[in-house]
Amino acid sequence: MCSLTLFPPPLQDGQTTLCESNNELLSGSNTQNASPMSLHFPRESLKLHSRTESSSKAAFLDHSETLWMRSAAAWRDGGLTGLLNEITDSNSEVPKWLSVGSGCILALLRWISSFHSSLFPHLTLSSEDMIAEFSQVLNWSDCVVRAFAWHPHTDKFAVALLDESIKIYNPKSTTTPTLKHRLQRNVAAMQWKPLCASALAVACQNCVLVWHVDPCSLSARPSSSCAQVLSHPGHAPVTSIAWSPSGALLLSASPMDTSMMVWDVAAESCVPLQRVGGGGVTFLSWSPDGSHVLASTPSALFRVWETRMWTCERWPCLKGRCQSGCWSPDGSRLLFAVEGETVIYALTFAGAPDISTSSLKGPQAAAVVADLSETTFHTEDGDLIVGGEIQSLAWDPRGERLAVLLKGDPQATNRPAIIAVFKTRTSPIFELLPCGFVQGEPGVEPRLMQFHPNFQHGALLTVCWSSGRITHVPFYFLTSAVPVVGLSGSPSLLHPLERPADFASQSLFTELLS
Amino acid sequence: MFAADSGCWFTQKVLCWRAAASVAWSVLLLPASTAAFVVLSKLSVLHPVQMFADCVSVLLSAGSVFSFVLLAGVIIMVGFLTFEYYTVIPSIACSKVALLGQLLHPRQLLYCLAHGVMGVVVGWSCAVTIGYRYERLAYLCPQKDRDGLLHMCLNEHHLLLLLEGGFVGLSHSLLGVIQNLNYVSFGTVQQHKYLCFKASLPLAAKCSAAQAFYSVRNFVLLYFFLGHIPRAWMCKSLSLHLDSSAHPLDSISGLLDLSLLYLLWISATYLLFSWYMTLLLFRIFVTEAYSFPVQSTFTEEAPQCLPKVLSEKQPMILKFLALQDLSLLSQHSPSRRSQVFSLSQPGGHPHNWNAISKECLSLLADLTQRLVSYHETVATNGRTKSLSSGSDRKTSSESSGTEDLASCRPTFLMKTPASVFLRSVGAGPQSPLTSPFTPDLDSPFASPTLRQLTSPVDPGSPWHGVVQSPHVMRRAPKLWSTSTDSQRNGSPPASPATLPTPKPESSKPSFLAQFFQNRREQVKHFMAKRMLVMYLFTKLPEASSQALFADGQAHIWALDGLSYLVQASFTEDQFGVVQTTLPSILSSMLLLQEAVDRHFKLPHASSKPVRSTISLGDSSHKTLRFALRATLKTAIYRITTTFGAHLHAVQLSAEHRKRLQHFLEYKE
C-alpha cells in the first residue's frame, strides 16, 4: 500500500494544470487569458434571492377568523402538529381540557420525534443543511455552481447556479436556454436521461423535476410546462438521482425517506423500494452496465442493489457513512470512500447476473486500494499538506483515470482542497498508478468535478471552481482496452510512445500485491 | 393434453396454479385480518383486560369457526370471480353511455349480484362475531300482544349489518367497473412477491378504510330514507314483529349512534380489506414473470416456446407474459439471447429470430395502422375545431370531462356543424374504430368535396341553423365513438339503438330518402337539445386516446425487446440474422414514431390525466401513451447509438433516412 508521497509535487503558486500529455501533467501560469472553453459565473452577476422566510404570512394583516376556520387552515398547512399547535395556542377560546390535551399530545409527539432523531441525527437538519451535508459538491451551500451535468451522448452540458436557474450550453447552437421553475429550489444534482436528446432530471428541495428541452428549439426561456414534476409525500429533500443506463427508469433518494423511488418518468408513477435500516438514502450511483446500484445511507451502512429483481446487499462500514462511490465502466468494480477515513475501498462483483441466477454473488469484503492520508510536500512557497477525507470520486468512462476530490481543511491555509488523479487499469488486473494533482488559480478551490462521457482523445475532466469558473482539463492518452467506435483520427496532442516518468512507474496498488 | 393451437396448456398449467396460490394465501391471511377485526370491534380503552378476554373467547368459540369457514368460502369465491373477470387490457368507456352499457351488461350484473350476496354473508359473519345486540336476527319480544302470546321480534341492528354488507359489496363491484379494478397491470420493476405484497399492504388498508367510510355514509343516507322497505319485507316474509318499544333505526336519533356507526365502518373496512387483499395477491401472482424456453429439443414442447407463444391470441395474458419475458431476456440474459440469434440445425434458418421479429413488427404495424386511421377519422374534426371561434376552442381544449350541463347546450349548437361533416376513411368494417353515425366508405360523398363543407361555419351564413343540403344531411353528427376494447372484453359496444345508422346511397337521392334524411336530422336536433342525452353521449375528452393505447404495454415490451435484441446483435449476433430485418425494424419504428407524433398533436392527447385519489384501481392505463412515446424514442436512440454511422449503409427510404439523421445527431 502506497500513499500520496508517490505523486509528483503540487504546482507552485500561480500555476494551473492545463492538460495531460505524454504521461505528464502540463501546467501554465497565464491564468487571465484562459481557454475560450471555460465559463465563468462571477458571484456578483447572479441575482440572488434575499428572501429568508419560508412563508409570507407576516406580510399580511391579521384578521380574526373563527377557531374552526383557523384549525382547518392549520390542518391544511401543517398537518396534525399544525392543528395541535393552533389549538394549544388559542387556549382562550377552546375548552381547557382540549388545549391541555393537545398540548400533551404535542409534547409526546416531540418527545417521540426527538427520540427518533437521536437515532438518526441527520433528521434534525434543515433541508438546505441536509443537502449541503450529503451533496457530492464540496461546500455546497456556498457554491456558485451547484450542479453540473454533461449530456451522455453529445457535447452539451447543464449548469445549475446559485440563483436557482439552470443554463444549458451547446456548442452547436448559439442559444443558451435558461430553465427556471417555481419548484426548482436548492438543486442538489442533475442528470441527463441516457438515450434521449432532451430530458434532464433535476433533484430539487421538494421534488424531482424532469425538463424536456427541445434541442432544436430557439427559445431562451422554456416555459415551466416543459417540466414534469415528480413528487411523493415524505420524499424531500432529494439529494441524489440516477437514470438507468438504458434510460427507462429514474431513481431518486432523500435522506428523510427510508425508501428510494423508482420512477417511471413518462407515466409519472413510482415504486418505493423500502429498507428501513440506515434512516434514509443519500447518494445513488448506477453502474454503467446497468446491473447494480450503489445506495448509501446516512448511517455507517450502504447497499448495493441488483437491478433485475431489486434485491440488495447490506454493507456495514466501520467508521462512517459512504460518502461517494463510482463504478468501473464494465460495472464489475465499485470504488467507494467512507466519511472519516482517508482510504479508497474497492468491491469486485461477478459479471452481469444471468436471468437464471437472481441472487448476487458478491465479494466478501472490501479491499483498500489507495491510502490518501495527509502527506506534506516541501515546495518553494512552504510546506503544503495534501490528503485527508474524500469528498467525491469520479472515474472516466474508459476506466483509465480516477479523479478524487479531497476535502482539505478550510481553516488551514496550507491544506487546500485538491483533486488527485490516478491512472487506473482494470484488465487484466486492477492497478492504480499516480498521475498528479489538478490545481486551479491561487486561492481557488475545486468544488465539483465530472468526466466528459465520450471524449475522443482520452478523458476530459470538467472542474467547477469556487470562483464560479468552469474549466476542462483534458487527459490525452491512447486507450488500449476499448476500441473507439467512431472513425476519428488519432489524437493530435498525443505522443505515440508512452514515456514513463520515473514516479509513474511505481504503482500504488495492484491486485497482484494484495 | 396440450392443444397445439391455443394457449390452453398455459391456463391449465400456470394460470390456474397461480390463481389458486393467490387464493390460498388470502385464505391463510384471513385469520390475521379477522383477529384484527375482532380486536377493533371489541375495542374498549377502559377495560383492556376484559377486552382481551372477550377477544380470545370470541376467536375460540365454535360460532367463529363456522363463520370463518364461511368467510373462507367467500374469499375463494371472490378469488374465482377475480380470475374469471380479470383483464390485462383495460376497458375504457368513451362516453357515459358506454360506461352505462358496461355496468348493465348481464355478465357484469351477475358479478355485482354475486358480490352483493357475498357481502351479505360477510355482514352476517361480522354481526355474529361482534355479538351483543347484533348477534341474532330475531329475539323474543319484551311485550306480549293482546292475546298474551310471545312473538319473535325483528332485530333491526342485525338487519342493518346484513344490508350494509350487501350494499358495500354491491358498491364495491360497481365502483370496480368505473375504476377498472379488474385491470391487471404489470409493474415497472420486477420484485419478489413478498416484497410487492408488503409494499402494497398499507395502500390496501388505507383504501379500504377510505372506501368503507364513503360506502357507510351512502348506506346510512339510503337507509334513512328507504330503510322501512327492507324492514317491512323482512318482517312480512319471516312473520316477525316489530318491537314497538325499541327505537326504529331509520331515524336521525337511531342512526346517530356512534358505536353503531363505528361498527358499521369497521365491518365495511374488514370486508373491503379482505377482498382487496385477494385482488392484490391475485395481481401479484398472475403478473409474475414467466420464463418461456426460447427453443426446445422436443417437438411436443414447441407450442410452449417463446416464438410460438408470442403469436397466441388467447388467453391475452399469455401474450403479455411472453412479451414481458422477451423484453427481460433481451436485457438480462446473454445465453437466451444467443438462442434467439441461433440458426436451426438442419437448414440453417433463423426461425426463432424470424418468428419473434415478425410478431413484434406486426404489433407495431397494427398500432401504427390504428393511429393513422384514428387520426384520419378525427383530423377534420380537429382541424375545424382549431380554426373555429374562440368559445368553441375553449371547450374543446378543456381537459376536464365534466362539462357542466348548462354550458353544454350552447356549445353543442355551435359545434354541430363542425362535427357533422365527419369523414371516416379508415374506419371501414375491418377497422377497430367503429364509430356510429359515420358514413360508409363507398359512399360517393366521401370525396374531397366534403372537405369544403368541413370548413368552419360562420354563424351569419346560411349554413348556420337550418341545414338543408342533402350533401350535408347525409353526414351525421358523431356524438361519440367507442373503441376496440369493448368487444374484446366481452361487453358489446353500446350503440344507441334509437338512432338509425346511415346507409350507402346513390349519388342522386330520391325524394323519399331525402324526406327520411330530413326527419332524422330533426330527431337528432331534437335529441341534441335534451341535456341528458347530450350528457350521456358527449365523448369523454381523453378517453378515446386512452382507448387507442389500452394495450400499450404490449407494444412497449415489443419495442424494448426488439431494440435490446438489435443492440445486442451488434456484438453477439454471429450469423448476422438481425441485419436482414434491420431495415424493416427501423422503418416500422420510424413510421410508428411519425404516427405517435401526429397523434400527440391532437387536442386532449397530450393532456395529463388528473391524479387519482386514493384508490386501488390501477390508473396506469391512463398514462400508457406517454410511456409508449418515451419508450419508442429510447428504442430508436438505442439502435442509433449502437450502430452509429453504420446505419448509413442500411436500405431506407429518403424520408426515413432524414428522420434517422435527426436521431443520429440527437436532435429529436
Side-chain angles (χ1 to χ4, degrees):
Chain A
M1 182 63 49
C2 299
S3 68
L4 287 173
T5 46
L6 291 171
F7 268 66
L11 300 172
Q12 292 164 8
D13 250 7
Q15 298 264 308
T16 53
T17 313
L18 293 180
C19 68
E20 186 208 284
S21 177
N22 298 334
N23 247 335
E24 266 182 299
L25 283 180
L26 304 180
S27 62
S29 57
N30 48 348
T31 55
Q32 290 314 308
N33 45 5
S35 67
M37 281 292 282
S38 76
L39 280 170
H40 193 203
F41 300 102
R43 186 176 296 265
E44 302 78 46
S45 70
L46 300 177
K47 291 194 205 84
L48 300 181
H49 295 287
S50 56
R51 140 197 97 189
T52 48
E53 280 181 66
S54 59
S55 133
S56 53
K57 209 174 177 180
F60 292 92
L61 282 178
D62 198 31
H63 82 117
S64 53
E65 282 177 319
T66 61
L67 176 70
W68 176 245
M69 295 281 282
R70 270 183 289 143
S71 303
W75 168 261
R76 202 180 53 234
D77 295 343
L80 183 63
T81 43
L83 179 68
L84 290 173
N85 253 329
E86 184 64 47
I87 294 174
T88 320
D89 288 347
S90 53
N91 46 10
S92 58
E93 294 167 62
V94 294
K96 193 164 172 22
W97 61 269
L98 191 59
S99 70
V100 171
S102 61
C104 287
I105 297 171
L106 203 58
L108 192 71
L109 281 178
R110 284 192 185 134
W111 181 72
I112 292 171
S113 72
S114 73
F115 178 69
H116 187 212
S117 51
S118 70
L119 265 179
F120 299 111
H122 70 274
L123 295 180
T124 53
L125 295 173
S126 73
S127 313
E128 282 196 39
D129 292 343
M130 200 181 289
I131 297 173
E133 173 77 20
F134 299 117
S135 168
Q136 293 292 296
V137 184
L138 183 61
N139 202 353
W140 175 87
S141 43
D142 182 43
C143 209
V144 179
V145 177
R146 293 198 140 169
F148 180 92
W150 276 108
H151 191 272
H153 308 288
T154 59
D155 282 335
K156 69 178 169 187
F157 59 85
V159 182
L161 298 172
L162 189 58
D163 62 350
E164 322 291 5
S165 70
I166 293 175
K167 286 184 190 300
I168 293 171
Y169 290 89
N170 190 350
K172 285 180 189 157
S173 98
T174 51
T175 51
T176 49
T178 306
L179 313 178
K180 286 189 179 175
H181 195 279
R182 188 171 50 86
L183 293 168
Q184 188 171 288
R185 286 192 287 130
N186 293 331
V187 175
M190 286 192 298
Q191 201 182 356
W192 290 91
K193 180 181 176 179
L195 298 178
C196 181
S198 58
L200 173 73
V202 182
C204 305
Q205 186 173 317
N206 294 318
C207 62
V208 177
L209 286 177
V210 181
W211 284 94
H212 294 271
V213 190
D214 186 358
C216 301
S217 157
L218 295 172
S219 150
R221 273 292 300 272
S223 79
S224 53
S225 65
C226 299
Q228 278 178 287
V229 181
L230 309 176
S231 66
H232 192 265
H235 195 70
V238 182
T239 55
S240 187
I241 47 175
W243 282 100
S244 71
S246 64
L249 302 171
L250 175 70
L251 283 181
S252 72
S254 165
M256 293 291 277
D257 195 356
T258 50
S259 48
M260 68 180 189
M261 298 291 160
V262 185
W263 292 95
D264 182 349
V265 173
E268 295 185 11
S269 64
C270 70
V271 181
L273 295 176
Q274 189 167 36
R275 296 291 184 279
V276 177
V281 184
T282 57
F283 172 71
L284 295 170
S285 171
W286 208 308
S287 73
D289 69 335
S291 60
H292 295 99
V293 177
L294 165 74
S296 64
T297 68
S299 322
L301 168 79
F302 68 92
R303 296 193 176 82
V304 178
W305 291 83
E306 162 274 329
T307 58
R308 225 194 81 60
M309 291 304 286
W310 290 97
T311 52
C312 66
E313 268 185 3
R314 280 167 59 100
W315 281 92
C317 312
L318 285 177
K319 280 195 108 166
R321 65 189 162 84
C322 172
Q323 166 65 31
S324 181
C326 59
W327 292 89
S328 67
D330 59 350
S332 64
R333 195 167 274 109
L334 167 69
L335 299 185
F336 65 94
V338 172
E339 197 189 35
E341 290 189 62
T342 59
V343 293
I344 301 175
Y345 291 97
L347 281 176
T348 312
F349 293 90
D354 204 316
I355 204 160
S356 52
T357 58
S358 58
S359 67
L360 272 175
K361 284 180 292 186
Q364 295 305 305
V368 178
V369 292
D371 182 7
L372 302 176
S373 54
E374 292 170 20
T375 308
T376 310
F377 287 96
H378 303 286
T379 61
E380 291 167 10
D381 311 314
D383 286 358
L384 194 68
I385 304 172
V386 172
E389 284 188 37
I390 294 159
Q391 176 69 29
S392 67
L393 295 167
W395 208 338
D396 97 87
R398 297 172 199 226
E400 306 236 358
R401 293 292 180 277
L402 173 73
V404 182
L405 178 54
L406 297 163
K407 270 181 189 169
D409 188 355
Q411 266 78 46
T413 49
N414 62 344
R415 221 188 122 191
I418 201 167
I419 296 175
V421 181
F422 294 86
K423 291 173 190 166
T424 56
R425 197 176 295 162
T426 46
S427 66
I429 52 164
F430 180 58
E431 275 188 313
L432 270 185
L433 298 151
C435 180
F437 297 112
V438 173
Q439 283 166 282
E441 298 161 38
V444 173
E445 284 188 337
R447 289 286 164 83
L448 170 62
M449 56 178 193
Q450 194 177 27
F451 275 107
H452 189 288
N454 45 9
F455 185 62
Q456 296 289 320
H457 314 298
L460 180 72
L461 182 68
T462 303
V463 186
C464 305
W465 304 91
S466 56
S467 61
R469 190 176 287 281
I470 298 174
T471 60
H472 308 285
V473 183
F475 296 80
Y476 294 105
F477 55 85
L478 272 184
T479 172
S480 51
V482 189
V484 184
V485 176
L487 301 167
S488 61
S490 61
S492 54
L493 264 171
L494 192 97
H495 199 276
L497 289 172
E498 285 205 355
R499 185 166 55 85
D502 49 349
F503 52 83
S505 59
Q506 282 179 290
S507 70
L508 281 171
F509 173 83
T510 74
E511 275 179 347
L512 291 177
L513 291 174
S514 63
Chain B
M1 185 73 189
F2 306 127
D5 56 338
S6 77
C8 115
W9 66 271
F10 188 75
T11 315
Q12 284 173 356
K13 280 179 78 176
V14 182
L15 275 186
C16 282
W17 286 110
R18 287 184 169 192
S22 74
V23 172
W25 273 109
S26 24
V27 170
L28 282 177
L29 286 170
L30 193 60
S33 53
T34 311
F37 167 70
V38 169
V39 170
L40 284 176
S41 68
K42 306 262 174 199
L43 199 63
S44 71
V45 187
L46 300 176
H47 309 286
V49 179
Q50 200 200 336
M51 182 187 94
F52 183 72
D54 269 1
C55 292
V56 171
S57 70
V58 165
L59 284 175
L60 296 179
S61 68
S64 78
V65 172
F66 176 67
S67 74
F68 180 77
V69 170
L70 215 59
L71 284 174
V74 167
I75 291 293
I76 291 170
M77 192 63 199
V78 169
F80 175 74
L81 283 176
T82 315
F83 181 58
E84 278 297 307
Y85 281 79
Y86 84 96
T87 164
V88 286
I89 301 171
S91 54
I92 294 161
C94 287
S95 64
K96 296 274 189 309
V97 155
L99 190 64
L100 211 64
Q102 281 181 12
L103 283 175
L104 296 180
H105 190 262
R107 193 172 134 92
Q108 194 56 45
L109 284 181
L110 195 71
Y111 180 80
C112 293
L113 195 70
H115 274 88
V117 171
M118 288 188 299
V120 172
V121 173
V122 177
W124 180 83
S125 304
C126 287
V128 169
T129 318
I130 294 169
Y132 307 130
R133 55 181 178 172
Y134 303 96
E135 196 167 357
R136 305 216 170 274
L137 185 61
Y139 60 96
L140 273 180
C141 292
Q143 308 100 339
K144 294 172 181 173
D145 66 351
R146 274 161 289 164
D147 308 336
L149 289 171
L150 273 175
H151 286 287
M152 295 302 275
C153 281
L154 178 74
N155 181 1
E156 206 179 344
H157 288 96
H158 185 91
L159 180 68
L160 196 67
L161 271 180
L162 291 189
L163 288 177
E164 189 233 11
F167 180 81
V168 174
L170 263 181
S171 65
H172 163 84
S173 57
L174 287 178
L175 269 178
V177 178
I178 295 165
Q179 296 178 351
N180 260 321
L181 266 189
N182 284 324
Y183 166 53
V184 172
S185 76
F186 290 79
T188 339
V189 292
Q190 299 288 309
Q191 266 184 293
H192 288 296
K193 289 192 289 264
Y194 165 68
L195 294 170
C196 278
F197 177 69
K198 205 178 78 176
S200 50
L201 205 55
L203 181 71
K206 215 163 37 178
C207 284
S208 49
Q211 191 55 53
F213 177 78
Y214 293 119
S215 296
V216 166
R217 182 196 64 187
N218 296 345
F219 171 71
V220 164
L221 281 180
L222 199 68
Y223 192 79
F224 177 70
F225 290 112
L226 302 173
H228 57 94
I229 300 172
R231 191 175 54 197
W233 179 73
M234 213 62 180
C235 285
K236 204 173 157 200
S237 58
L238 295 179
S239 63
L240 293 171
H241 291 255
L242 272 180
D243 191 351
S244 51
S245 66
H247 206 74
L249 278 180
D250 57 340
S251 60
I252 292 180
S253 54
L255 283 173
L256 272 185
D257 178 356
L258 272 186
S259 108
L260 176 73
L261 289 180
Y262 172 72
L263 284 173
L264 284 180
W265 177 63
I266 283 293
S267 46
T269 308
Y270 169 66
L271 179 151
L272 287 175
F273 183 70
S274 55
W275 290 5
Y276 280 152
M277 217 54 154
T278 317
L279 185 68
L280 269 178
L281 280 166
F282 178 79
R283 281 186 194 167
I284 290 169
F285 269 83
V286 90
T287 56
E288 195 193 357
Y290 185 85
S291 182
F292 296 91
V294 177
Q295 60 182 8
S296 167
T297 38
F298 305 106
T299 43
E300 61 265 30
E301 281 177 15
Q304 303 177 24
C305 289
L306 192 60
K308 202 84 183 168
V309 163
L310 273 179
S311 55
E312 295 283 359
K313 290 279 177 287
Q314 282 299 325
M316 208 54 199
I317 192 165
L318 175 60
K319 192 181 184 91
F320 271 62
L321 283 170
L323 282 165
Q324 187 191 29
D325 187 41
L326 174 71
S327 130
L328 287 177
L329 88 86
S330 65
Q331 288 175 58
H332 297 291
S333 179
S335 59
R336 294 178 70 203
R337 274 199 303 257
S338 71
Q339 285 183 323
V340 173
F341 297 139
S342 68
L343 300 181
S344 65
Q345 201 35 268
H349 294 286
H351 288 306
N352 293 334
W353 167 253
N354 283 348
I356 287 171
S357 61
K358 190 177 142 223
E359 185 54 36
C360 290
L361 288 179
S362 79
L363 268 176
L364 299 189
D366 171 53
L367 182 64
T368 313
Q369 177 58 37
R370 217 190 295 166
L371 286 176
V372 167
S373 57
Y374 175 79
H375 194 269
E376 277 169 9
T377 320
V378 296
T380 41
N381 207 358
R383 191 166 63 233
T384 343
K385 266 182 188 170
S386 66
L387 289 171
S388 58
S389 62
S391 64
D392 198 355
R393 196 183 310 146
K394 189 169 145 270
T395 47
S396 69
S397 62
E398 259 176 18
S399 57
S400 65
T402 54
E403 295 180 350
D404 59 322
L405 290 172
S407 76
C408 213
R409 194 171 152 188
T411 53
F412 175 76
L413 287 178
M414 293 212 53
K415 231 189 284 186
T416 312
S419 53
V420 158
F421 320 117
L422 272 170
R423 208 165 69 92
S424 74
V425 172
Q430 81 285 358
S431 160
L433 282 170
T434 50
S435 35
F437 305 132
T438 40
D440 269 23
L441 249 184
D442 39 7
S443 159
F445 292 98
S447 64
T449 49
L450 256 177
R451 296 205 176 152
Q452 298 159 2
L453 300 176
T454 59
S455 57
V457 178
D458 183 10
S461 78
W463 287 101
H464 185 66
V466 200
V467 182
Q468 285 175 335
S469 159
H471 287 223
V472 179
M473 274 177 279
R474 209 146 299 122
R475 316 290 142 229
K478 195 173 84 168
L479 292 168
W480 61 284
S481 77
T482 183
S483 179
T484 71
D485 307 291
S486 43
Q487 289 111 323
R488 215 175 303 161
N489 288 312
S491 59
S495 65
T498 49
L499 304 174
T501 47
K503 291 190 175 73
E505 282 172 76
S506 62
S507 58
K508 200 75 183 166
S510 64
F511 173 75
L512 202 65
Q514 205 169 334
F515 174 76
F516 277 123
Q517 292 287 347
N518 266 326
R519 288 283 130 224
R520 212 181 58 217
E521 207 59 32
Q522 279 171 2
V523 166
K524 237 168 274 162
H525 268 274
F526 175 78
M527 298 291 276
K529 280 175 189 160
R530 298 294 165 273
M531 283 188 212
L532 181 69
V533 177
M534 267 317 295
Y535 173 74
L536 288 175
F537 281 86
T538 335
K539 254 166 85 167
L540 301 175
E542 259 177 75
S544 51
S545 191
Q546 279 174 22
L548 266 179
F549 289 94
D551 57 347
Q553 188 65 59
H555 301 105
I556 288 173
W557 281 324
L559 281 168
D560 265 345
L562 271 184
S563 63
Y564 276 113
L565 282 174
V566 169
Q567 186 188 28
S569 77
F570 191 69
T571 50
E572 292 175 16
D573 180 14
Q574 295 171 353
F575 308 106
V577 295
V578 175
Q579 276 183 30
T580 50
T581 31
L582 192 55
S584 58
I585 289 175
L586 277 173
S587 59
S588 70
M589 279 185 182
L590 289 170
L591 274 176
L592 182 59
Q593 161 84 9
E594 205 176 316
V596 168
D597 274 358
R598 275 175 72 196
H599 180 80
F600 271 90
K601 291 199 176 107
L602 294 176
H604 299 308
S606 55
S607 58
K608 299 259 175 191
V610 270
R611 293 232 153 249
S612 59
T613 48
I614 300 174
S615 110
L616 218 64
D618 209 315
S619 61
S620 63
H621 62 271
K622 292 182 183 162
T623 50
L624 271 177
R625 59 183 187 280
F626 301 104
L628 184 101
R629 184 174 58 164
T631 311
L632 178 60
K633 223 169 224 181
T634 309
I636 301 177
Y637 268 122
R638 190 170 290 136
I639 295 175
T640 55
T641 31
T642 311
F643 284 79
H646 299 296
L647 284 182
H648 294 306
V650 176
Q651 289 282 328
L652 282 174
S653 70
E655 197 186 333
H656 284 166
R657 197 174 290 283
K658 206 171 135 197
R659 200 83 201 246
L660 212 56
Q661 192 59 36
H662 278 256
F663 276 96
L664 281 167
E665 289 167 2
Y666 291 95
K667 279 187 178 167
E668 271 298 318

